[in-house]
Amino acid sequence: MTQDLTLPAADGYVNVRVGAIIIKNEKLLMVGSQDFDYYYSVGGRIQFGESAEQAVRREVLEETGWELEIDRLGLDGVDRRMLESIIVNFRGGPVGLDTLAATIGEEAVTLEDVYEPYLLQIGFLNRTPRGRCVTQKAYEHLGIPFHGQLEM
C-alpha cells in the first residue's frame, strides 16, 4: 500500500497533488469520471517519496495509458530532437527552418508555431537572419559540452 504525501495546514493536513494540462492537435485532454457526470484534468496525489515529476508521469500513465516524454522544464521529444539536431548536425546553428524540419521529420509550420515559441521564451533558441541557433543554456540543459558556434 502506498502512502500519500501530506503537509500540515492550519486546520489539519492537506494532500499534495499534481496535475497535467495535455494539449494535442489543439485539443485539451480531459478525463471523464465513471461515477459522476463531470470531466477533470489528469492528476492526483503525490505518493510519499515520489517527486512531483514522477507523480505527474505516473498519474498520466494511470489515467491515459500514455508515457510522458517531458523533462522538468516541459521539453518533450520533439523539443529535444530539434535542439539536438541543430547541435549535432549543424554545430549549434544557424540552420534554416525548412532544413531543420526535414532533418527531424516534422512540418516546418509545426516547429515554428508549436515548438519554437517556448524554446525562444526560455532562452534555448535564437532566431537570426541566417537561421535558428541553439544557446549555451540549451547545451547545459541537455548535458552537451558547449564549444561555441561558428556564428550567431
Side-chain angles (χ1 to χ4, degrees):
M1 183 169 117
T2 59
Q3 180 182 357
D4 293 335
L5 179 62
T6 58
L7 295 175
D11 58 351
Y13 289 90
V14 89
N15 285 313
V16 181
R17 301 178 62 86
V18 293
I21 303 297
I22 301 172
I23 300 172
K24 187 171 184 174
N25 299 328
E26 299 181 17
K27 294 181 182 175
L28 176 66
L29 173 72
M30 301 296 287
V31 179
S33 170
Q34 294 177 354
D35 303 330
F36 303 101
D37 189 23
Y38 65 89
Y39 292 89
Y40 56 92
S41 62
V42 175
R45 293 184 176 118
I46 297 178
Q47 295 175 354
F48 187 75
E50 196 175 43
S51 71
E53 182 180 342
Q54 291 168 328
V56 80
R57 287 176 186 276
R58 178 184 47 74
E59 288 292 337
V60 169
L61 181 61
E62 287 175 1
E63 296 181 22
T64 68
W66 296 347
E67 286 213 37
L68 288 183
E69 296 178 6
I70 61 165
D71 65 18
R72 63 184 173 78
L73 291 181
L75 300 184
D76 69 8
V78 176
D79 292 307
R80 285 189 300 276
R81 276 198 341 265
M82 210 173 143
L83 295 170
E84 289 168 354
S85 177
I86 296 171
I87 292 168
V88 172
N89 299 315
F90 306 100
R91 295 188 223 172
V95 60
L97 182 62
D98 291 329
T99 302
L100 177 60
T103 303
I104 66 170
E106 294 287 338
E107 295 289 328
V109 69
T110 302
L111 296 182
E112 188 171 39
D113 293 347
V114 177
Y115 294 98
E116 214 174 60
Y118 183 63
L119 294 173
L120 289 165
Q121 180 185 359
I122 63 173
F124 280 13
L125 194 66
N126 287 325
R127 260 198 300 218
T128 72
R130 297 197 45 146
R132 278 74 179 154
C133 296
V134 174
T135 66
Q136 183 173 352
K137 188 175 175 182
Y139 278 82
E140 291 167 1
H141 178 74
L142 295 170
I144 299 172
F146 179 76
H147 301 293
Q149 290 149 320
L150 295 178
E151 56 184 276
M152 285 283 277

